[in-house]
Amino acid sequence: MFNQISLFIMLLTPVIAYVAGAVIYSFVECLRKGSMLDKCNNIISCRNGL
């Protein structure tokens, strides 16, 4: 039979994996949005002739 520490670790593993995935996804989306904003600003400035 498992002791309490092993059971606690088994219960927390999916939670930690979910949080790590959410943090990584948020970081990647932040980087993608930053590059998208730069592209949009370049397009708008080219349209305005600046």
Side-chain angles (χ1 to χ4, degrees), residues 12-48:
L12 278 184
T13 301
V15 175
I16 293 171
Y18 177 79
V19 170
V23 168
I24 291 170
Y25 176 78
S26 150
F27 181 71
V28 168
E29 284 298 312
C30 185
L31 288 177
R32 289 181 63 198
K33 283 185 181 179
S35 64
M36 289 290 286
L37 288 176
D38 291 340
K39 289 178 184 177
C40 290
N41 286 338
N42 287 338
I43 291 170
I44 291 170
S45 64
C46 289
R47 284 185 184 170
N48 292 336

